[in-house]
Amino acid sequence: SDAQLERMRETLRARLRFRDASVPELAVFNPYLPNGRVRFVGGGGRLDGDLRVDGEGEVGEGSLRVDARQTRLSVAGLALQGDVVVDGRLRRGDLHKGDFDLGGTTIRLRKVAFSERGGAARKDWWADVDMPQGQVAWTRPASAGGELRARMKNVDFLLAMFADRADYPAWIGRLVDDGEATVSGDWQWKGDALVLDRIHAANQRFQVD
């Protein structure tokens, strides 16, 4: 009966799990990334997932891990290559709307090489990014935002996203290249722009708010 079907929908629970699935071309995920400003250009990886879904199509909790080695990406107009591990945490998600809480998600970047807008090449850059709070709407195009906390080799990549090194005095380069940096603040993909707000960055020689 209709009542029984309604009760089944209210009580139904499902769990979807997969481990070490091969993804030959990670570019298949590009339609779900923010506005084309972050996209996979080449390379494959491995995928793990564990999702708990109810009859209303909502995810109570779940995880999605992407492990890519020497993959090529485009981030805010810059090309980079390296190892990327995204350990995504999904909570209170709605599969129909594509809205998810990303709190607890981490991103690890290793052996990263990229070129600045002026042509200077960088290599062996690394970063660990934690998102204690965050939301994503996997519509097309996607939108996302939240908090971030990061440790990184230096802030070279952040500066390269926003300016050519030739745009500022040489002593700034000497400062940012010296030692591990910590960064915290808010981030948001807004239209075609990546917005970083309330940023606090520091290393052994400088502090910027």
Side-chain angles (χ1 to χ4, degrees):
S1 67
D2 291 342
Q4 289 175 319
L5 289 174
E6 183 63 26
R7 174 174 169 74
M8 285 180 61
R9 189 172 69 171
E10 292 175 355
T11 59
L12 182 65
R13 298 291 184 272
R15 185 176 186 182
L16 172 65
R17 288 189 294 179
F18 48 91
R19 291 184 58 82
D20 203 29
S22 175
V23 183
E25 186 53 69
L26 290 169
V28 298
F29 294 117
N30 286 342
Y32 302 99
L33 298 177
N35 301 311
R37 294 297 181 174
V38 176
R39 68 181 188 275
F40 290 100
V41 178
R46 315 299 296 185
L47 185 66
D48 295 341
D50 189 348
L51 301 174
R52 296 177 185 271
V53 185
D54 66 20
E56 298 292 335
E58 294 187 358
V59 176
E61 62 179 347
S63 63
L64 191 65
R65 178 185 173 90
V66 179
D67 190 338
R69 304 294 172 176
Q70 286 302 295
T71 190
R72 288 179 290 126
L73 299 108
S74 175
V75 180
L78 294 177
L80 64 129
Q81 179 173 336
D83 299 342
V84 181
V85 176
V86 180
D87 195 354
R89 293 288 182 261
L90 306 178
R91 297 181 177 87
R92 296 185 296 277
D94 187 318
L95 289 176
H96 299 298
K97 296 180 180 179
D99 296 337
F100 292 94
D101 183 335
L102 294 180
T105 292
T106 62
I107 302 172
R108 303 288 180 254
L109 304 172
R110 294 292 184 272
K111 303 177 184 178
V112 174
F114 63 94
S115 295
E116 298 182 0
R117 300 183 196 280
R122 305 291 169 183
K123 64 179 182 179
D124 292 327
W125 188 79
W126 60 266
D128 294 332
V129 182
D130 299 322
M131 288 185 259
Q133 293 184 8
Q135 296 79 38
V136 63
W138 271 325
T139 53
R140 297 194 182 194
S143 61
E147 297 179 11
L148 67 83
R149 298 172 186 165
R151 293 172 53 248
M152 54 189 65
K153 181 177 180 179
N154 51 43
V155 294
D156 263 350
F157 188 72
L158 290 180
L159 290 177
M161 282 199 298
F162 293 100
D164 186 336
R165 188 174 288 259
D167 293 339
Y168 43 81
W171 61 266
I172 291 182
R174 290 193 293 272
L175 282 177
V176 302
D177 286 339
D178 186 66
E180 180 180 307
T182 59
V183 179
S184 62
D186 299 333
W187 65 279
Q188 182 181 14
W189 286 104
K190 190 173 183 178
D192 282 339
L194 170 61
V195 179
L196 298 178
D197 193 18
R198 304 169 190 255
I199 293 296
H200 171 82
N203 69 6
Q204 296 175 355
R205 299 174 111 182
F206 79 92
Q207 177 173 310
V208 176
D209 291 292

